[in-house]
Amino acid sequence: MAGSVRVVLLGPPGAGKGTQAKWLQERFEACQVSTGDILRKAVAEQTPLGKQAAAYINRGALVPDSLIVDLVAERLKEKDCDKGFVLDGFPRTISQAESLEEILKKMGLALDCVLSVQVPHRVIVERLAGRRTCKGCGALYHLTLDPPSKEGVCDRCGGELYQRDDDREETITARLKVYEAQTAPLVNYYRERGMLREIDGVGKVNEIRSRVLQALGDRGT
Ligand code: AP5
């Protein structure tokens, strides 16, 4: 078993962050901290956080930093993050990146690196339009690129597959604009700090996994 990982997965919607994060979680026994998954769960359960976040998510905008930062700080303190974590969808603004640095400093931790997964727009739209997610275990599928054995049913747990509300074409366009304006600047932010590892996100899921391991260097062996 390889050593622990403490990494950020950075990339536009549909880059494959969730797909790779779920695998890294198993490979390194780390916890996947997906702010998108946490928020969608809160929306489904109609918690106070969910009620505030729903309108932002549905129009493809970012949920305010004030709602996200404390949530991540608390999540990272949970036991299952002791062996490492994969941050998927956080940070998404420079301000969130600065907050993350403070959170980790207080915990006496630091990131190993930031994995920036990049794919062109046409691939993003194809991936998001065909994405299906399991309601039960959160496993990810694609109608044509990675279909389940039985239509609409999860291979892993038999759960029902659904299409995310924010994967409609007009919302995808809005999310891409938000990514370019607010999240893409993080690429340079982490490059300047010598923490960035750039990964070509085009190719088969297994190929991207190999690139991720290579980018992790010693930790990936
Ligand atoms: P979030 O859930 O984080 O969405 P996202 O960043 O837009 O990313 P996605 O989940 O859409 O894509 P992904 O890169 O994980 O791709 P995936 O692996 O699923 O955020 C949703 C919303 O929540 C935001 O818009 C915002 O409102 C809010 N939010 C979340 N975090 C926030 C924060 N920190 N601050 C403020 N607001 C926040 O793959 C996509 C599809 O492609 C799948 O079908 C998959 O099977 C397929 N696929 C993946 N890899 C490959 C491959 N190599 N080849 C073929 N198919 C592939």
Side-chain angles (χ1 to χ4, degrees):
M1 170 52 56
S4 64
V5 288
R6 293 191 181 89
V7 294
V8 166
L9 276 172
L10 182 63
K17 303 182 296 296
T19 302
Q20 297 301 326
K22 284 181 201 314
W23 169 74
L24 280 170
Q25 167 175 264
E26 285 174 20
R27 173 78 164 70
F28 290 94
E29 294 176 24
C31 69
Q32 176 197 8
V33 179
S34 160
T35 41
D37 286 350
I38 295 171
L39 291 169
R40 276 185 292 279
K41 186 165 181 275
V43 171
E45 291 171 356
Q46 298 198 343
T47 65
L49 168 69
K51 284 180 186 164
Q52 288 186 78
Y56 295 97
I57 297 174
N58 289 339
R59 65 170 194 272
L62 293 186
V63 171
D65 291 347
S66 56
L67 293 180
I68 297 285
V69 171
D70 290 349
L71 184 153
V72 173
E74 289 310 308
R75 181 67 186 88
L76 288 176
K77 284 181 200 154
E78 286 179 35
K79 189 90 192 107
D80 63 333
C81 292
D82 282 356
K83 286 189 183 168
F85 53 77
V86 181
L87 287 167
D88 162 15
F90 180 92
R92 242 175 164 101
T93 60
I94 299 278
S95 157
Q96 289 184 12
E98 289 166 352
S99 298
L100 175 62
E101 212 175 313
E102 279 173 36
I103 292 167
L104 294 178
K105 205 169 156 190
K106 277 186 195 157
M107 296 174 79
L109 299 173
L111 288 175
D112 299 327
C113 63
V114 173
L115 302 167
S116 168
V117 186
Q118 296 303 327
V119 289
H121 278 201
R122 61 173 175 78
V123 176
I124 291 175
V125 176
E126 182 192 19
R127 286 188 185 174
L128 293 183
R131 172 167 53 191
R132 295 295 181 272
T133 309
C134 175
K135 273 188 182 170
C137 68
L140 294 166
Y141 296 88
H142 190 281
L143 288 182
T144 54
L145 303 170
D146 182 21
S149 312
K150 193 176 167 202
E151 196 185 323
V153 181
C154 178
D155 290 344
R156 288 192 173 195
C157 75
E160 185 191 338
L161 304 186
Y162 78 103
Q163 182 172 29
R164 272 170 47 176
D165 287 343
D166 62 347
D167 280 347
R168 293 185 312 265
E169 206 173 320
E170 63 277 18
T171 319
I172 293 173
T173 307
R175 286 162 61 199
L176 286 171
K177 281 189 185 151
V178 166
Y179 172 80
E180 289 303 334
Q182 300 189 58
T183 307
L186 285 175
V187 171
N188 260 336
Y189 176 91
Y190 284 118
R191 184 182 287 127
E192 282 165 6
R193 284 157 181 75
M195 295 167 76
L196 196 74
R197 308 276 184 278
E198 294 182 81
I199 293 165
D200 176 4
V202 179
K204 294 200 167 72
V205 171
N206 279 342
E207 292 168 347
I208 319 297
R209 283 179 186 169
S210 303
R211 290 174 204 158
V212 166
L213 282 186
Q214 211 174 354
L216 287 172
D218 290 347
R219 286 187 165 76
T221 54

